[in-house]
């Protein structure tokens, strides 16, 4: 059952990434659509760091932590994007208004959270069921 859950979380993550790329390509300059890839990689990297710090604790509470991360992935995917849309950034203003960089950083944080929680689900599965890593990876790629 956990392998099928990994497949659905992975599909949700890639679907969310594609959606963000399309939305940013339409609503902002197309250059900003490609920042979504760095946002996703940032979320996965922070997730790996966090899991390396709390791995034993999280594995002992896998039945609670995994569903909580899956729920937070869905919640942050919707709420994070809605909040990020309220933070307007005019790309032309970045040249003369350095205060906007803080707003861009907050947008990065809001959009990174779903990737963080989704990657936690996948990473926890690998940590808890490492002997089946080939099978987990197969379901992740499906």
């Amino acid at each position: 059952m956990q392998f099928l859950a990994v497949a659905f979380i992975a599909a949700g993550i890639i679907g969310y990434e594609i959606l963000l790329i399309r939305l940013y390509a339409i609503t902002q300059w197309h250059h900003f659509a490609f920042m979504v890839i760095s946002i996703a990689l940032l979320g996965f990297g922070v997730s790996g760091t966090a899991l390396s710090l709390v791995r034993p604790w999280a594995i002992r509470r896998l039945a609670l932590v995994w569903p909580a991360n899956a729920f937070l992935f869905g919640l942050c995917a919707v709420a994070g994007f809605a909040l990020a849309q309220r933070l307007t950034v005019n790309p032309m203003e970045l040249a003369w208004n350095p205060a906007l960089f803080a707003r861009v950083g907050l947008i990065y944080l809001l959009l990174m959270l779903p990737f963080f929680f989704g990657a936690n689900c996948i990473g926890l599965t690998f940590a808890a069921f490492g002997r089946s890593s080939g099978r987990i990876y197969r379901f992740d790629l499906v």
Side-chain angles (χ1 to χ4, degrees):
M1 190 67 172
Q2 68 272 7
F3 302 120
L4 192 57
V6 166
F8 284 124
I9 282 289
I13 291 169
I14 194 72
Y16 182 67
E17 185 176 4
I18 291 169
L19 176 68
L20 284 179
I21 289 171
R22 298 296 297 157
L23 287 171
Y24 270 97
I26 293 168
T27 62
Q28 297 286 334
W29 291 359
H30 68 279
H31 300 87
F32 285 92
F34 299 106
M35 80 176 196
V36 173
I37 296 167
S38 67
I39 290 170
L41 291 173
L42 177 65
F44 272 73
V46 172
S47 169
T49 303
L51 284 177
S52 70
L53 296 173
V54 299
R55 183 177 180 223
W57 177 88
I59 290 175
R60 282 193 307 273
R61 293 161 182 82
L62 186 67
L64 177 67
V65 174
W66 204 102
N69 276 284
F71 173 77
L72 289 170
F73 164 73
L75 180 68
C76 289
V78 175
F81 181 74
L83 290 171
Q85 287 303 299
R86 294 188 189 277
L87 298 171
T88 58
V89 174
N90 180 359
M92 296 295 287
E93 280 185 60
L94 286 170
W96 65 81
N97 188 358
L100 287 179
F101 283 105
R103 195 174 289 179
V104 171
L106 186 56
I107 290 171
Y108 255 76
L109 178 67
L110 288 170
L111 296 178
M112 181 223 34
L113 286 175
F115 296 108
F116 170 78
F117 290 120
N120 277 346
C121 291
I122 295 170
L124 280 169
T125 306
F126 274 111
F129 305 102
R131 292 183 180 220
S132 302
S133 60
R135 193 165 179 214
I136 296 167
Y137 191 63
R138 191 174 327 124
F139 276 87
D140 177 41
L141 291 177
V142 168

